[in-house]
């Protein structure tokens, strides 16, 4: 029966009917600029702008399919070095044009004109360039036909002007900033969009209805670009950084002063290989201007995930996505496509331990000696991306009794990634390849026992559309991994929390102390309906226990067989009360390779947008009783109780000066666990240059089965000679994200980010697993067991069976009261195109007084009065275009 149901989830959607597509859009002609020079001033008085314009824009919002309420005329022109875009945005109430300004790439609700272009004409990828009426610029890349990414920063120029008839814009974009297949006469894909803030209106030259899929593939053709021979791209961006650190330290610390003031030099390079490939390189990169990571309290066995914020790795990151492609919705449900390349592994904090010493100068990151990145296309259908980086051999400095020594804490290492894709049959099919490698020079046992010597992954992914209208698509991916290292390291690898080979009740894979390598595989296939009102997505996948990609990827699961099906219906047409609404429902289940059900739930989600542009949503799931192979941290399986999770949110019209948001989450399980989360926020835009947002949060977590520790005890015969200790955790977390954006001009801005964070946890009702594969727990202090607390030592003394000291053990009080205040201020000035000055102040302070006891006023005072670390830096980078 299970096999029949699984077959139904995957195959049944294929029989559904497809919907038609509209006719091809009108082509666009680019005009050659002859003799005259275009003066970039936003005033369209050059002769080339007197040619017939591109017009007839169509609304997508608020009235889909209606003509744009205001006329927009656009033109494309070019010369030997630049492509020019101009637009005349007529407005019947020019005094109401929203000329708000913001920092570059910070999309801000105002009046915008956006130029989209697909230079390869591959119907999948491209660039966008946007400018608002105030002169704020944004740009980015387009990928997977309908997705965008703002991490790319091109060097280009734009000017705007406003008059009684509306506003005008001129863009000048160097051909060298875009990649394309050079030819005597080129055909590109092209589109335009205009936004009118006060009307909540967005119109396009080529408008794709909401119920249909695709974006880049619908572009109009741009003809007329002839004889362009762009010069070879070679850009150098050298930088200098002066840093001053004022850190918490011991006055006798001999290392402090030598680290307090540092000057750093480095450079980024961009080299064009022909017109369709780019090489980006960095030498001794500095990322001091990036925003600090938020504070978290992680009580799980798994690593916390942080977004990449370093510009060299952020730009073009989408080209390294694995599995994601062809499908416009990728649902995970405790599985998903693997993140084989997690760039934060490169330059991560060292992992080696040091000998004991009076003082230790331990580095917080591994220096990247150099890195290079290749991106672009080999031809119209084949893309390629690659990264190669070398991190230095890193040492910690030790000071003992007047003698200074050093010990290696991170080896010399190479990180490499290769990604390529090939499309067939006009993009209806695609096949991709991905390969990653990490190679380390391990010379010391302390590092050999904690790091892999070599780690490799290899994967294939692709998709195929099932019908001529591209309504249905199947995407699939398969990958393998191989890791080698010392026996000691392989033992650690086998005991990772997503693997736990040491489980005493494991039957499929068990701990092997003689291993020097580990290998595994991954596979998944997904069906997705790309467009239409009715929606379906279904997938099945498996990842073996030995699949390991954490050396250069981010891994949180293995040993899993998963399938899901999502059904939904989407209303895109206004009905007088709602502008649009969607409803989804899903069923998902996961098994491990032993056949145990480890995840089994029903899920639902609903979204509504009202006629006044307010939004509301609700979501939830019901979890059936399953087994957990991770709750005991390497011990036997126990039951996961059944439970439910629900949430609702409301969002006001985001076009207003004051935007309000509120979200509430609640979950509860069969054994009394409760979670409540409250997430209000408000954003205030008092004028066209200033924006302030405050997002406080409060979470209450009452977990009746929070893991504490495992203790060996041969008398614990029911639990394989170990006691797996849990407790009831009463945790409260208060935090806030505060952001201030103050834009003085489109090239000069000030940003402030501040995160106060307080999390307090009190443990009580200590207990142990009574019997594997059940919910049964023995509570200490009952049925002959005893528990007492030693205030002076800060320890709980536990006799689990009342048989005296021989079986008793102690637990350090796990209560906590963690408080932190993190923030930074960044002043950014783009002195000239591509050349940027930063002034940065970063602050980080924390306090752990009064563990287990929350008093907001007292805790905030303790935090505010605590010593902290302050870092000031000045950075200037200058762009040379050679």
């Amino acid at each position: 029966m299970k096999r029949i149901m699984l077959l139904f989830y995957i195959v049944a959607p294929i029989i559904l009917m497809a919907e038609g597509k509209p006719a091809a859009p009108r082509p666009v002609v680019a005009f050659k600029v002859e003799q005259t020079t275009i003066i970039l001033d936003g005033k369209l008085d050059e002769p080339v702008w007197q040619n017939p314009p591109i017009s007839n824009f169509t609304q997508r919002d608020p009235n889909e399919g209606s003509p744009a309420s205001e006329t927009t005329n656009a033109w494309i022109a070019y010369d030997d070095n630049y492509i020019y875009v101009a637009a005349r945005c007529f407005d019947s109430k020019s005094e109401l044009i929203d000329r708000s300004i913001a920092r570059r790439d910070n999309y801000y609700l105002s009046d915008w004109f956006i130029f989209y272009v697909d230079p390869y004409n591959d119907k999948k990828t491209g660039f966008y360039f946007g400018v608002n009426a105030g002169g704020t610029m944004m740009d980015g890349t387009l990928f997977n036909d309908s997705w965008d990414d703002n991490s790319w920063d091109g060097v280009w120029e734009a000017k705007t002007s406003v008059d009684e008839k509306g506003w005008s814009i001129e863009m000048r974009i160097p051909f060298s900033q875009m990649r394309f297949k050079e030819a005597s006469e080129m055909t590109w894909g092209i589109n335009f969009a205009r936004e009118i803030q006060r009307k909540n209106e967005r119109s396009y030259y080529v408008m794709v209805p909401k119920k249909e899929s695709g974006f880049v593939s619908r572009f109009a053709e741009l003809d007329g670009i002839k004889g362009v021979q762009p010069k070879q791209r070679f850009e150098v961006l050298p930088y200098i950084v002066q840093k001053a650190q004022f850190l918490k330290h011991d006055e006798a610390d001999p290392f402090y002063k030598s680290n307090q003031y540092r000057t750093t030099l480095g450079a980024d390079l961009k080299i064009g290989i022909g017109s369709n490939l780019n090489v980006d390189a960095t030498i001794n990169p500095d990322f001091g201007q990036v925003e600090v990571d938020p504070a978290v309290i992680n009580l799980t066995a798994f690593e916390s995930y942080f977004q990449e914020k370093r510009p060299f790795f952020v730009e073009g990151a989408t080209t390294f996505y694995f599995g994601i492609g062809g499908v416009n919705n990728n649902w995970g449900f405790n599985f998903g496509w693997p993140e084989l390349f997690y760039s934060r592994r490169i330059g991560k904090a060292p992992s080696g331990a040091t000998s004991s010493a009076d003082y230790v100068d331990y580095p917080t990151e591994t220096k990247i000696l150099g890195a290079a990145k290749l991106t672009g296309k080999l031809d119209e259908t084949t893309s390629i991306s690659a990264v190669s980086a070398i991190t230095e051999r890193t040492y910690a400095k030790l000071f003992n009794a007047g003698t200074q020594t050093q010990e290696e804490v991170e080896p010399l290492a190479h990180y490499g990634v290769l990604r390529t894709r090939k499309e067939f049959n006009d993009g209806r099919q695609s096949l991709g390849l991905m390969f990653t490698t990490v190679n380390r020079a391990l010379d010391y046992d302390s590092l050999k026992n904690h790091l892999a010597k070599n780690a490799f992954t290899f994967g294939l992914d692709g998709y195929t559309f099932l019908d001529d209208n591209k309504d249905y698509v199947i995407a699939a991916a398969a990958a393998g991994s191989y890791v080698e290292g010392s026996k000691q390291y392989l033992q650690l690898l086998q005991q990772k929390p997503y693997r736990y080979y040491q489980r005493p009740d494991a039957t499929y894979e068990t701990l092997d102390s003689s291993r020097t390598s580990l290998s595994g595989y991954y596979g998944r296939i997904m069906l997705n309906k790309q467009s239409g009102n009715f929606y379906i997505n279904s997938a099945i996948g498996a990842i073996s226990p030995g699949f390991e990609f954490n050396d250069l990827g981010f891994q949180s699961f293995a040993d899993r067989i998963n399938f899901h099906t999502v059904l939904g219906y989407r209303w895109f047409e206004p009905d007088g009360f709602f502008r649009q609404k969607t409803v989804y429902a899903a069923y998902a289940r996961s098994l491990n390779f032993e056949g145990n059900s480890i995840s089994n739930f029903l899920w639902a989600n609903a979204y509504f947008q009202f006629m006044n542009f307010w939004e509301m949503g609700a979501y939830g799931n019901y979890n059936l009783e399953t087994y957990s192979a991770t709750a005991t941290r390497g011990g036997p399986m126990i039951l996961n109780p059944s439970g439910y999770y629900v949430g609702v949110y409301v969002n006001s019209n985001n076009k207003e000066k004051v935007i309000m948001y509120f979200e509430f989450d609640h979950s509860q399980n069969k054994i009394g666990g409760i979670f409540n989360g409250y997430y209000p926020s408000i954003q205030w835009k008092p004028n066209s240059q200033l924006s302030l947002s405050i997002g406080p949060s409060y979470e209450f977590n009452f977990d009746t089965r929070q893991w504490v520790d495992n203790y060996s005890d041969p008398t614990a015969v029911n639990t394989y000679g170990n006691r797996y200790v849990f407790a009831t955790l009463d945790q409260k977390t208060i935090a806030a994200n505060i952001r201030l954006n103050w834009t003085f001009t489109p090239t000069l801005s000030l940003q402030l980010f501040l995160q106060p964070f307080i999390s307090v946890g009190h443990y009580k009702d200590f207990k142990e697993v009574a019997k594997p594969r059940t919910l049964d727990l023995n509570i200490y202090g009952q049925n002959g067991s005893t528990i007492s607390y030693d205030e002076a030592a800060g320890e709980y003394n536990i006799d689990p069976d009342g048989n005296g000291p021989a079986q008793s053990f102690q637990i350090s009080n796990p209560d906590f009261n963690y408080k932190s205040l993190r923030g930074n201020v960044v002043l950014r000035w783009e002195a000239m195109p591509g050349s940027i000055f930063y002034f940065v102040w970063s602050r980080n302070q924390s306090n752990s007084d009064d563990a287990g006891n929350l008093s907001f006023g007292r805790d905030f005072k303790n935090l505010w009065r605590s010593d902290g670390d302050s870092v000031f830096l000045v950075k200037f980078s200058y762009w040379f275009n050679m």
Side-chain angles (χ1 to χ4, degrees):
M1 182 63 183
K2 290 181 180 178
R3 292 180 179 178
I4 294 174
M5 290 298 292
L6 183 58
L7 187 64
F8 171 78
Y9 290 134
I10 303 300
V11 177
I14 300 176
I15 65 174
L16 298 175
M17 298 298 293
E19 301 180 23
K21 304 293 181 188
R26 303 174 299 280
V28 173
V29 176
F31 301 102
K32 182 68 180 287
V33 177
E34 303 285 359
Q35 298 176 347
T36 59
T37 300
I38 293 180
I39 299 173
L40 208 68
D41 56 7
K43 298 175 182 179
L44 311 185
D45 46 16
E46 287 81 10
V48 70
W49 308 135
Q50 308 312 310
N51 286 298
I54 305 152
S55 193
N56 300 321
F57 282 49
T58 304
Q59 288 188 49
R60 196 169 192 261
D61 290 301
N63 302 312
E64 183 179 312
S66 298
S69 65
E70 305 283 354
T71 300
T72 303
N73 293 336
W75 296 265
I76 300 290
Y78 70 99
D79 59 21
D80 292 338
N81 298 309
Y82 301 95
I83 186 167
Y84 299 90
V85 181
R88 185 63 159 116
C89 302
F90 292 96
D91 199 311
S92 56
K93 295 185 178 181
S94 61
E95 70 276 8
L96 299 181
I97 293 172
D98 191 321
R99 289 183 260 182
S100 301
I101 58 176
R103 179 174 171 174
R104 177 170 171 164
D105 286 331
N106 188 4
Y107 175 76
Y108 193 99
L109 291 168
S110 60
D111 283 31
W112 286 89
F113 180 82
I114 306 167
F115 166 56
Y116 303 95
V117 60
D118 172 12
Y120 282 122
N121 201 26
D122 62 8
K123 315 295 185 186
K124 288 285 190 301
T125 63
F127 301 87
Y128 67 87
F129 303 86
V131 181
N132 79 345
T136 296
M137 300 164 59
M138 67 176 182
D139 55 19
T141 57
L142 307 169
F143 67 104
N144 199 30
D145 195 3
S146 58
W147 297 357
D148 63 85
D149 173 39
N150 69 354
S151 63
W152 176 76
D153 283 324
V155 181
W156 54 286
E157 298 173 86
K159 294 293 183 181
T160 62
S161 66
V162 181
D163 57 28
E164 70 281 357
K165 294 182 180 180
W167 65 287
S168 301
I169 179 175
E170 287 179 312
M171 302 181 190
R172 180 166 61 203
I173 306 166
F175 281 112
S176 63
Q177 293 299 298
M178 295 183 288
R179 296 187 292 273
F180 52 89
K181 187 66 176 178
E182 187 177 342
S184 58
E185 184 171 353
M186 295 182 287
T187 298
W188 294 2
I190 197 170
N191 201 359
F192 305 97
R194 180 183 175 185
E195 295 184 14
I196 305 175
Q197 191 273 341
R198 71 180 186 278
K199 297 183 178 183
N200 291 291
E201 181 176 327
R202 187 179 181 101
S203 57
Y204 292 85
Y205 177 63
V206 182
M207 193 276 294
V208 180
K210 295 187 183 80
K211 71 176 182 179
E212 297 181 8
S213 65
F215 183 61
V216 181
S217 58
R218 309 295 193 93
F219 284 5
E221 288 189 351
L222 174 66
D223 299 321
I225 302 180
K226 302 176 182 180
V228 172
Q229 295 181 342
K231 67 178 182 179
Q232 188 71 27
R233 184 179 188 184
F234 186 76
E235 301 174 13
V236 181
L237 195 71
Y239 77 83
I240 182 170
V241 174
Q242 179 60 58
K243 182 182 292 187
Q245 301 183 107
F246 303 91
L247 313 178
K248 291 186 295 184
H249 66 284
D250 187 327
E251 292 296 332
D253 187 344
F255 300 115
Y256 179 72
K257 289 190 179 299
S258 61
N259 291 332
Q260 191 171 6
Y261 302 100
R262 288 184 177 180
T263 303
T264 308
L265 300 172
D268 296 334
L269 299 90
K270 288 182 182 290
I271 305 169
I273 303 176
S275 60
N276 58 341
L277 287 172
N278 268 357
V279 172
D280 293 80
T282 184
I283 302 169
N284 190 26
D286 174 83
F287 308 110
Q289 78 277 11
V290 301
E291 186 176 283
V292 295
D293 290 322
V296 295
I297 288 290
N298 186 352
L299 299 178
T300 74
F302 298 91
E303 177 185 6
S304 295
Y305 185 91
F306 294 104
Q307 294 288 338
E308 178 62 88
K309 299 176 182 179
R310 300 172 295 177
F312 176 81
F313 294 108
V314 168
E315 184 175 318
T318 59
T319 62
F320 295 96
Y321 288 169
F322 179 73
I324 298 173
V327 177
N328 60 14
N329 280 295
N330 290 273
W331 300 80
F333 293 114
N334 297 326
F335 199 79
W337 308 109
E339 188 172 353
L340 297 182
F341 178 38
Y342 178 53
S343 57
R344 288 190 68 137
R345 299 290 182 225
I346 303 175
K348 67 178 180 63
S351 54
T354 65
S355 305
S356 60
D358 297 334
Y359 296 97
V360 177
D361 180 17
Y362 196 96
T364 58
E365 61 186 28
T366 304
K367 184 178 180 181
I368 301 172
L369 294 176
K373 179 168 57 179
L374 172 71
T375 56
K377 287 207 168 190
L378 301 178
D379 55 40
E380 288 85 350
T381 61
T382 307
S383 63
I384 186 169
S385 303
V387 166
S388 181
I390 297 176
T391 57
E392 72 172 356
R393 200 179 296 273
T394 305
Y395 296 88
K397 298 177 183 177
L398 286 73
F399 187 83
N400 266 315
T403 303
Q404 181 175 312
T405 58
Q406 63 179 22
E407 294 180 359
E408 186 176 333
V409 291
E410 189 72 18
L412 180 72
H414 171 259
Y415 298 84
V417 187
L418 173 65
R419 178 71 164 128
T420 183
R421 291 188 185 94
K422 175 75 174 178
E423 293 184 352
F424 307 91
N425 192 19
D426 293 327
R428 293 183 180 276
Q429 289 86 36
S430 174
L431 181 64
L433 173 151
M434 189 163 184
F435 174 75
T436 73
T437 176
V438 179
N439 315 102
R440 299 184 175 98
L442 299 174
D443 298 331
Y444 299 95
D445 288 343
S446 60
L447 294 176
K448 290 179 181 179
N449 296 342
H450 290 87
L451 293 170
K453 179 176 178 58
N454 297 297
F456 307 96
T457 66
F458 177 82
L460 295 172
D461 64 341
Y463 64 84
T464 181
F465 286 96
L466 302 179
D467 60 310
D468 291 339
N469 290 327
K470 296 186 177 181
D471 279 332
Y472 291 92
V473 62
I474 286 180
S481 68
Y482 178 81
V483 180
E484 64 175 354
S486 69
K487 292 180 181 180
Q488 291 80 1
Y489 173 69
L490 263 295
Q491 288 189 51
L492 293 177
L493 198 60
Q494 293 175 76
Q495 298 177 66
K496 288 279 190 178
Y498 43 80
R499 188 168 291 120
Y500 283 144
Y501 280 9
Q502 74 272 32
R503 275 180 34 231
D505 58 345
T507 59
Y508 185 81
E509 288 278 9
T510 57
L511 183 65
D512 181 354
S513 59
S514 65
R515 273 186 183 270
T516 57
S517 66
L518 185 69
S519 60
Y521 62 86
Y522 165 97
R524 192 185 195 208
I525 185 169
M526 173 181 284
L527 171 72
N528 190 69
K529 187 173 186 288
Q530 301 283 90
S531 58
N533 297 102
F534 179 75
Y535 177 79
I536 189 163
N537 177 283
S538 194
I540 184 170
I543 177 171
S544 73
F547 189 62
E548 173 66 31
F549 57 94
N550 212 45
D551 282 87
L552 191 48
F554 187 90
Q555 184 168 359
S556 58
F557 65 97
D559 189 14
R560 191 170 298 182
I561 302 167
N562 171 275
F563 64 89
H564 78 253
T565 290
V566 184
L567 299 175
Y569 199 87
R570 304 173 291 192
W571 294 264
F572 299 107
E573 300 79 16
D575 59 12
F577 191 73
F578 296 112
R579 286 195 174 275
Q580 55 181 308
K581 49 189 181 289
T582 60
V583 177
Y584 295 105
Y587 173 68
R589 189 177 185 187
S590 297
L591 310 172
N592 67 7
F593 272 57
E594 296 173 351
N596 299 295
S597 180
I598 56 175
S599 176
N600 192 10
F601 61 90
L602 296 165
W603 172 91
N605 179 288
Y607 163 80
F608 305 93
Q609 185 184 55
F610 298 92
M611 295 300 293
N612 64 356
F613 296 97
W614 280 57
E615 297 171 324
M616 182 180 72
Y619 47 86
N621 62 274
Y622 179 75
N623 298 291
L624 284 77
E625 198 169 71
T626 56
Y627 291 104
S628 173
T630 62
T632 55
R633 306 293 205 273
M637 283 192 169
I638 58 177
L639 272 182
N640 266 333
S642 59
Y644 67 88
Y645 170 70
V646 295
V648 295
Y649 64 89
V650 178
N651 191 61
S652 68
N653 184 351
N654 61 8
K655 305 292 194 297
E656 301 296 335
K657 286 191 173 183
V658 177
I659 304 170
M660 294 175 291
Y661 177 85
F662 179 77
E663 183 175 2
F664 170 70
D665 292 345
H666 170 77
S667 66
Q668 191 166 339
N669 63 32
K670 179 181 177 180
I671 59 175
I674 297 173
F675 174 86
N676 289 319
Y678 305 86
Y679 310 98
S681 70
I682 186 168
Q683 182 180 7
W684 178 42
K685 299 176 285 187
N687 57 46
S688 63
Q689 296 174 276
L690 192 63
S691 173
L692 174 66
S693 65
I694 302 175
S697 65
Y698 173 73
E699 295 179 347
F700 167 74
N701 178 34
F702 187 79
D703 189 347
T704 59
R705 201 179 65 180
Q706 171 64 46
W707 179 82
V708 176
D709 210 339
N710 299 337
Y711 298 89
S712 176
D713 186 347
T715 66
V717 294
N718 291 332
T719 51
Y720 302 95
N722 284 280
R723 299 192 183 274
Y724 301 96
V725 179
F726 291 78
T728 296
L729 170 63
D730 185 351
Q731 181 185 6
K732 300 177 180 67
T733 301
I734 302 171
N737 288 325
I738 303 169
R739 296 180 186 274
L740 172 69
N741 294 308
W742 192 354
T743 308
F744 308 104
T745 73
T747 59
L748 179 62
S749 62
L750 180 71
Q751 289 188 314
L752 178 146
F753 170 75
L754 191 65
Q755 190 207 39
F757 180 89
I758 301 173
S759 187
V760 180
H762 173 59
Y763 289 77
K764 60 182 180 180
D765 301 332
F766 290 83
K767 61 205 80 174
E768 67 178 38
V769 173
K771 184 179 180 182
R773 303 176 71 88
T774 70
L775 293 172
D776 298 343
L777 298 167
N778 294 327
I779 300 175
Y780 297 140
Q782 298 181 7
N783 301 319
S785 65
T786 63
I787 181 171
S788 61
Y789 183 63
D790 184 339
E791 187 78 33
E795 290 181 340
Y796 289 92
N797 297 301
I798 298 171
D799 184 350
D801 50 20
N803 290 330
Q807 278 74 48
S808 65
F809 57 93
Q810 290 74 42
I811 299 175
S812 295
N813 187 349
D815 288 356
F816 59 87
N817 185 332
Y818 177 75
K819 304 172 283 293
S820 77
L821 183 63
R822 298 186 179 192
N824 66 352
V825 178
V826 179
L827 178 69
R828 181 185 187 273
W829 176 40
E830 189 170 0
M832 57 192 73
S835 301
I836 303 174
F837 171 87
Y838 292 97
F839 173 78
V840 181
W841 173 40
S842 294
R843 177 71 178 177
N844 183 11
Q845 59 194 68
S846 61
N847 180 275
S848 298
D849 294 342
D850 303 298
N853 182 13
L854 174 65
S855 172
F856 179 77
R858 178 206 62 208
D859 290 338
F860 190 79
K861 287 180 181 178
N862 288 344
L863 173 61
W864 188 258
R865 293 169 180 170
S866 297
D867 292 332
D869 297 334
S870 283
V871 178
F872 297 87
L873 71 83
V874 176
K875 178 177 181 179
F876 180 68
S877 57
Y878 187 83
W879 180 65
F880 291 95
N881 187 20
M882 300 182 180

